[in-house]
Amino acid sequence: MLCERTSRRIDGTRYLIHSTRCSVLWTLYPVLCTQYSVRFAALLFLLAIGLTAHSAAAQDLLPGEFGDITLDRPLVEPTRIPTIRELRQLAARPEIEPVLLLRLHGGGENHAVPVWSPDGRRLAFLHSNVDANSSKLLLFRSLADADPVLLTGEAGWYDSMFRWGVESQTGFVFVRVESATKHSRLMFSADGEKVQPLDGEPGVYGFPALFERTDGIWRLLFERDGNLLHRAWNSSGDVEPPLAIGRGSAPRWHRDGRQMLLLRERTRAGRLAAIDLAIHDLRTGAESLLETPRAGTLRAPVWSPDGNLVAFHVRDTGDNRPWRIDLASIDIRAAARTIADDVVVNPDFTSEGPAWSPDGRQLWFFSNQRREQAFYPAMAYDLVSGSQHVVRYHTKLTTPADLAMNPHTATPEVAFVAYGTGETRDLYVMLLNHF
Amino acid sequence: MIDVACGFCETQFRLDDAWGGKRARCPKCQSVVSIPAAALTTTGIEAKQRADRREGTRGNQGNEGKRAAVKSAAIASVAPPAEPLAPPSLHLLESSADISAPPVTSPPVSSSPLPKNWKTRLADRRLQLAAGGALVLLVVVGVVVAMNSGTPESVPVAMQDPSRPTGGLDEVEEPEANPSAASPAAKPVVEPVNVPAEAAPEKPPSEIASDLPVTPEMERVAVPTKPAPRKKPASGPQGLSGLSSDYSDFHCCRIQFAHGVTIPHAATIIEVDGWRLPIDDVPQLFESPAPVLFLPRGQHAVRFRVGDRPITVEIRDDFTATYEAARNFFDLNGKVQKAALIERGGRATDVHGAPLLLNFQGAGYAQDGQWSAAERKFRRAIRVNPTFSPAHLNLAHCLVELGRPEEAAREWTLAAAFNVGNVFGLEAAIHAFRERLGDTPTPPLPLAFSARVYVSPEPRSVEDERIASILQAISKYAVKDEERAKLRNNLAVHFSESGRPQLALEHFRGALAALKTAGPERFEIATKILGHMSDTCRYAGYEEADEYAAMQQFVLP
């Protein structure tokens, strides 16, 4: 009896398993059978319609609005262009938030120091190739170009210290150094296309600053062997003899084409004692020193858009001291003040300084103080209110540097370099909803 | 004895002849088995098989054969079983009513097992299904892509209630907001001009093809209509397929640059032959697409910045004569040739690089007493080139008609300021207008110039400025001009949807400008944008609605 019962139980289990398997198979059988393919196709079609409707609803376009617009560039965040309704919401938010983050250029090599043109429609930046022992300048002659133009492909040359011409629609200048011999020379372009070397005495050139006048005369400030010099020429040749301005560095033209900002070295007993920040009038030769910290290293002073303030990087003497941003007024009675501590500064390229907003109300930078591991949010210091805004963006971008603000825009348009998904620093542009 | 095999599980049975012709249920798989008649004995089976082989058929044909075997007779040529199965193992079915099992073609859902070759069947059917499913997916994807391509042409741009005021321009001329209110007497009738294709050089150049849309259509009451089917103009001897290229926008741009000097963006002053123009905020002039300062014939020393040297500019021709010829061409002293102006505007997709045509269009509206429309045209002309004195003076006349003498005073002052050396020949007209204004105070010099005034007087909120800035910034990065145009169109839609038609039109024109260098898609997109502009004007009660509808005719590859 027991064997019979056991046998019956085993048979029952097998039967149950078999029944279950058959149930599943018979359930799928109508779908898998050819003569039911019409039903299956209908299901697919309905699914596609549902997805389409969902997609259209997700974009929520206004009548007449185009959707699915593509820039033909990799978008980091979000992955599509915001709609008008979404932009309306973003524009109304009180906090400064990213609207669009895109990767402008990258892949293969490290990039650095993006520099906006004065009209905000062109962008120059560096890429370095350690193996080839060179750094090259890349140029977006138009931001609509799919790829930038390589100014020159010659190996064994370092191109750096790129500057757009002040008040110029096309001109630019930069320094070229032969890596083998360390010979350097200044390179100039008037039309933005053809690049030619500027004749000059042999020496170590640096920090060129170009200004274009409305009468066709070009003015150039530059450093050679630690001395500041000035040249002026037009299509016919030099219009003035070269002018020596004294020992100094990092000159910057004022928009009036007369005044310049520069770092003036102060020596004592033939040795460098201090570095001062000075404003020099080219026409009169008058010079005034701005109030700056008595000790420390200054670099990359930048005029405010209205020309009344100067921002610069400074750090105290000593090893591994953090960089900060100080603000000085052209009113020499006003003292300089620190507006940001422990900011990110590119140690390899010293030509670019703090980033001003176009209205001169804010200074933008990356701060070491607010970083979260390798992610550094962008910071904006408001000169009027004294408040700091923290702008967070896609956290996959790490170790950013060289923040540059478009000087001709009503909403923030920030170019910077950072590590993304690859192993090199790529060039990114981030658009924000407001200042 | 009858030998029978179950068609599904192939279990063999040997039954008594009394079972012949009946149906029973297999005890193993519960399938219904038809028991053949007693005549079909083993011997009979073998004979039948030999006959089948002769006919080329097989007694056992796989799946289909097994099914047939169930229906007719399950016959297996097998050796007799060692011992016959007991009849009770095969459950006899008394009648068809006892067959509770579903037909063989629809196997039972419950515990009946699949046939042994179900895997093969399944594999075959999966293959067939995969092929059919792939085809269906292709069709579905094609439908999805078609549904998502662009926006429906028939959907108009949404607007608020057109009875709401649109920003003040039409407040005074309420009747003009509704074109149907125009009196029949004032309604112009413009007749097409039929002229031979080749005209003698001394005759006024008026080569307008006869197959242009009949111009009275453009004067009808503005009701939403679909644009007439486009037809290509007949080919002709020159330029624009049989249409005159004289005074096209390109021609007007050449005239402009031949008679003036471009104001550089770094300019802070404008000084001609030692005389400084009384204009403040000169950099504002550079916000315009074509800031060209017209100069009279001769050599001039022009300076643009304090401290900079003057540059020498030589003008070879007298602009007054050139301008007068253009006026005669479009018959400004008689009846303005609106059709010719609209056609040229259409060829330029309403993106003008010179102010002449817009100024003449405004004169056409002014001639008909449509002062608001005329004002918009003159402002657009100034927007293109703010130094064009005729547009300033014409705008001044409009503003007087609209009851705004203070603004008119400002415009005639600007007209006088830019009429350097009486280059436009307007000295007498400006003087006459000054007398017409009477006691209206003249604004103090230097005059502050604002480009924004000539774009639109409509209010802009902080959010509007942000949205405009963001979209214009994004559009800079579009590699394709078509995508850039779409972004500018969307910006225009934002203003149109929120009741700012003039700002919308400004940005629609920005979209059209982006399409100038776009690929083959530009024609379709331009047609859509012109449709949006027409709808925007229609909702706002602007007379230009029919213009934009007509311009779609000229957007041709």
Side-chain angles (χ1 to χ4, degrees):
Chain A
M1 182 62 94
L2 180 63
C3 295
E4 191 180 313
R5 205 179 295 158
T6 305
S7 170
R8 256 192 248 134
R9 194 176 298 129
I10 291 172
D11 287 339
T13 305
R14 282 185 190 159
Y15 184 79
L16 186 64
I17 293 170
H18 178 73
S19 302
T20 307
R21 186 181 65 184
C22 290
S23 301
V24 170
L25 288 171
W26 281 117
T27 304
L28 290 176
Y29 189 75
V31 176
L32 299 171
C33 186
T34 302
Q35 55 192 338
Y36 289 95
S37 63
V38 173
R39 268 189 224 173
F40 185 49
L43 279 174
L44 280 179
F45 185 77
L46 288 171
L47 184 65
I49 296 294
L51 286 173
T52 306
H54 174 73
S55 170
Q59 287 222 16
D60 194 16
L61 301 175
L62 294 174
E65 182 180 355
F66 286 104
D68 294 327
I69 298 174
T70 172
L71 299 181
D72 290 310
R73 298 190 190 280
L75 300 183
V76 178
E77 187 180 54
T79 53
R80 63 166 176 80
I81 306 294
T83 64
I84 292 294
R85 291 193 209 272
E86 290 164 348
L87 283 174
R88 286 173 177 173
Q89 291 173 0
L90 283 166
R93 287 191 193 151
E95 305 82 18
I96 303 176
E97 293 182 12
V99 173
L100 192 69
L101 175 61
L102 59 95
R103 195 187 73 162
L104 194 57
H105 186 72
E109 287 156 355
N110 283 317
H111 300 84
V113 198
V115 183
W116 289 101
S117 63
D119 60 2
R121 295 194 165 271
R122 292 161 290 156
L123 190 64
F125 58 102
L126 273 172
H127 82 189
S128 57
N129 188 334
V130 176
D131 295 333
N133 202 23
S134 68
S135 67
K136 295 296 174 195
L137 281 166
L138 293 157
L139 203 61
F140 275 102
R141 290 204 176 102
S142 164
L143 295 173
D145 292 339
D147 295 300
V149 168
L150 186 65
L151 279 187
T152 174
E154 297 172 41
W157 290 90
Y158 285 105
D159 292 338
S160 64
M161 296 187 181
F162 182 94
R163 287 280 172 81
W164 296 99
V166 176
E167 301 293 359
S168 175
Q169 293 281 86
T170 53
F172 60 79
V173 69
F174 60 94
V175 174
R176 170 163 292 174
V177 179
E178 190 175 6
S179 53
T181 63
K182 304 299 178 196
H183 290 159
S184 62
R185 51 185 176 175
L186 296 174
M187 306 298 290
F188 161 71
S189 175
D191 58 1
E193 304 270 344
K194 186 181 167 189
V195 179
Q196 58 194 16
L198 285 172
D199 296 327
E201 297 175 14
V204 178
Y205 288 86
F207 298 102
L210 186 68
F211 185 91
E212 182 183 7
R213 288 171 31 144
T214 59
D215 51 13
I217 292 177
W218 295 92
R219 291 192 177 276
L220 180 69
L221 294 167
F222 58 95
E223 178 191 333
R224 189 181 70 206
D225 299 326
N227 294 304
L228 278 176
L229 296 162
H230 169 264
R231 276 185 64 179
W233 72 94
N234 60 11
S235 56
S236 304
D238 285 343
V239 297
E240 297 169 7
L243 179 68
I245 304 176
R247 287 201 65 81
S249 179
R252 285 271 197 179
W253 281 108
H254 192 277
R255 286 190 65 188
D256 62 9
R258 280 177 49 184
Q259 300 179 83
M260 66 189 78
L261 190 63
L262 51 96
L263 294 177
R264 181 71 83 189
E265 293 179 359
R266 195 153 23 108
T267 58
R268 186 180 297 162
R271 296 171 64 181
L272 178 64
I275 298 178
D276 295 321
L277 190 57
I279 297 176
H280 183 92
D281 191 311
L282 189 68
R283 187 168 297 172
T284 63
E287 188 162 303
S288 54
L289 295 181
L290 302 186
E291 186 68 32
T292 54
R294 291 195 175 274
T297 304
L298 276 66
R299 71 175 240 183
V302 182
W303 289 104
S304 64
D306 61 2
N308 292 327
L309 295 168
V310 175
F312 53 96
H313 289 132
V314 61
R315 68 174 177 185
D316 297 330
T317 50
D319 293 334
N320 298 321
R321 303 308 299 265
W323 288 96
R324 62 180 191 270
I325 296 177
D326 276 12
L327 199 63
S329 172
I330 62 170
D331 181 357
I332 58 175
R333 292 167 293 180
R337 58 189 175 107
T338 299
I339 61 125
D341 239 329
D342 201 6
V343 299
V344 173
V345 164
N346 192 327
D348 301 321
F349 301 100
T350 61
S351 57
E352 294 307 310
W356 285 95
S357 61
D359 60 2
R361 184 171 165 150
Q362 293 172 340
L363 277 162
W364 286 67
F365 50 92
F366 291 115
S367 171
N368 281 306
Q369 291 182 330
R370 298 284 190 137
R371 74 172 188 164
E372 299 158 18
Q373 295 182 344
F375 171 74
Y376 296 70
M379 305 288 298
Y381 177 83
D382 193 309
L383 271 65
V384 175
S385 63
S387 58
Q388 275 196 1
H389 302 280
V390 180
V391 181
R392 298 182 60 82
Y393 50 95
H394 194 63
T395 54
K396 290 289 173 64
L397 299 188
T398 57
T399 321
D402 302 335
L403 189 151
M405 178 67 71
N406 189 319
H408 201 266
T409 174
T411 48
E413 190 175 333
V414 173
F416 63 98
V417 294
Y419 289 97
T421 53
E423 295 180 352
T424 55
R425 256 182 178 166
D426 296 339
L427 178 65
Y428 293 88
V429 172
M430 180 166 60
L431 295 106
L432 303 154
N433 57 349
H434 57 76
F435 283 107
Chain B
M1 297 299 288
I2 302 173
D3 291 319
V4 64
C6 173
F8 287 95
C9 63
E10 297 181 352
T11 307
Q12 306 289 325
F13 298 99
R14 175 162 283 187
L15 303 169
D16 190 70
D17 289 343
W19 291 70
K22 295 183 180 168
R23 288 191 288 178
R25 195 182 296 280
C26 173
K28 193 168 181 185
C29 67
Q30 300 302 311
S31 303
V32 173
V33 179
S34 295
I35 302 166
L40 288 176
T41 59
T42 306
T43 307
I45 291 168
E46 289 174 350
K48 186 177 185 304
Q49 282 183 338
R50 281 196 292 275
D52 284 344
R53 278 195 218 102
R54 280 196 299 272
E55 289 175 8
T57 60
R58 296 175 65 123
N60 185 7
Q61 294 183 2
N63 293 344
E64 295 302 322
K66 288 198 179 4
R67 214 179 264 168
V70 169
K71 283 188 177 172
S72 54
I75 301 166
S77 174
V78 295
E83 45 185 44
L85 294 172
S89 63
L90 193 64
H91 304 293
L92 177 65
L93 300 172
E94 291 296 332
S95 66
S96 62
D98 291 336
I99 302 174
S100 59
V104 174
T105 54
S106 303
V109 177
S110 58
S111 55
S112 305
L114 288 168
K116 276 193 177 176
N117 58 353
W118 68 270
K119 286 185 181 175
T120 311
R121 290 187 193 183
L122 200 60
D124 290 343
R125 293 198 179 149
R126 274 178 180 167
L127 196 62
Q128 292 168 16
L129 177 67
L135 191 62
V136 168
L137 269 174
L138 276 173
V139 170
V140 167
V141 166
V143 168
V144 168
V145 168
M147 285 175 68
N148 279 336
S149 61
T151 54
E153 288 186 15
S154 59
V155 178
V157 176
M159 283 290 296
Q160 293 181 345
D161 186 353
S163 62
R164 279 183 54 180
T166 55
L169 282 177
D170 294 332
E171 283 176 359
V172 176
E173 295 291 324
E174 284 291 343
E176 281 186 22
N178 182 3
S180 62
S183 64
K187 211 174 189 181
V189 174
V190 180
E191 296 172 351
V193 178
N194 295 318
V195 293
E198 292 180 357
E202 60 272 13
K203 292 182 186 173
S206 54
E207 299 132 350
I208 302 172
S210 59
D211 58 349
L212 275 176
V214 178
T215 49
E217 287 181 357
M218 301 169 196
E219 305 302 327
R220 285 188 309 195
V221 171
V223 291
T225 55
K226 268 191 174 179
R230 303 187 302 179
K231 39 183 181 174
K232 264 190 176 177
S235 60
Q238 54 178 323
L240 302 170
S241 300
L243 302 168
S244 170
S245 61
D246 286 343
Y247 302 109
S248 63
D249 182 66
F250 180 69
H251 184 195
C252 292
C253 288
R254 286 200 320 227
I255 292 173
Q256 178 176 241
F257 287 106
H259 290 87
V261 59
T262 303
I263 300 170
H265 83 289
T268 54
I269 60 169
I270 303 175
E271 194 177 276
V272 180
D273 299 327
W275 180 69
R276 190 174 297 186
L277 272 65
I279 303 295
D280 205 2
D281 207 3
V282 169
Q284 280 278 317
L285 298 175
F286 202 76
E287 295 292 320
S288 305
V292 177
L293 179 70
F294 286 86
L295 295 171
R297 183 167 55 186
Q299 207 172 65
H300 307 277
V302 184
R303 197 158 69 115
F304 290 112
R305 207 171 167 112
V306 175
D308 287 0
R309 300 176 186 179
I311 60 173
T312 301
V313 178
E314 185 172 352
I315 306 297
R316 294 184 180 175
D317 296 317
D318 182 17
F319 180 72
T320 311
T322 306
Y323 187 56
E324 190 59 30
R327 294 183 80 252
N328 290 335
F329 180 87
F330 292 105
D331 199 17
L332 256 70
N333 293 327
K335 194 64 195 167
V336 177
Q337 299 297 319
K338 283 190 177 181
L341 289 167
I342 290 171
E343 177 263 319
R344 281 156 177 78
R347 288 288 178 187
T349 56
D350 202 37
V351 178
H352 294 262
L356 276 77
L357 295 177
L358 289 166
N359 185 52
F360 294 157
Q361 287 175 9
Y365 281 114
Q367 199 173 67
D368 299 335
Q370 294 168 310
W371 298 109
S372 293
E375 180 192 355
R376 287 190 290 273
K377 288 294 183 184
F378 294 137
R379 286 189 185 276
R380 277 196 58 200
I382 297 168
R383 169 86 175 99
V384 171
N385 185 349
T387 72
F388 194 62
S389 291
H392 281 289
L393 190 60
N394 288 337
L395 179 59
H397 279 289
C398 268
L399 292 168
V400 167
E401 295 293 333
L402 293 171
R404 289 137 68 182
E406 292 81 17
E407 293 179 52
R410 189 173 176 281
E411 291 303 323
W412 86 256
T413 311
L414 284 168
F418 290 121
N419 188 31
V420 177
N422 198 24
V423 59
F424 298 106
L426 292 178
E427 216 167 84
I430 291 172
H431 182 72
F433 184 82
R434 178 68 187 92
E435 290 184 351
R436 181 185 174 191
L437 275 185
D439 296 332
T440 306
T442 307
L445 298 177
L447 282 169
F449 183 86
S450 170
R452 178 170 283 212
V453 167
Y454 300 99
V455 173
S456 165
E458 293 158 347
R460 272 169 274 207
S461 65
V462 170
E463 285 77 18
D464 290 329
E465 300 284 0
R466 291 171 181 175
I467 292 169
S469 174
I470 290 168
L471 273 174
Q472 286 170 331
I474 294 175
S475 71
K476 289 187 303 192
Y477 295 96
V479 175
K480 289 183 187 162
D481 294 324
E482 299 91 319
E483 304 301 310
R484 186 172 310 105
K486 290 176 183 176
L487 286 163
R488 292 300 298 271
N489 170 86
N490 291 354
L491 178 57
V493 165
H494 160 70
F495 286 111
S496 178
E497 196 261 354
S498 52
R500 270 78 60 82
Q502 291 192 45
L503 285 169
L505 291 171
E506 168 78 5
H507 291 293
F508 279 131
R509 281 189 281 272
L512 292 171
L515 284 175
K516 289 259 187 188
T517 50
E521 295 176 27
R522 67 183 183 275
F523 302 106
E524 184 187 344
I525 299 173
T527 304
K528 285 183 184 174
I529 293 174
L530 286 169
H532 296 166
M533 294 169 81
S534 180
D535 293 336
T536 299
C537 289
R538 220 171 290 286
Y539 278 107
Y542 289 171
E543 293 84 346
E544 297 93 306
D546 290 330
E547 268 186 43
Y548 292 120
M551 278 184 197
Q552 289 179 309
Q553 309 286 329
F554 300 104
V555 178
L556 294 168

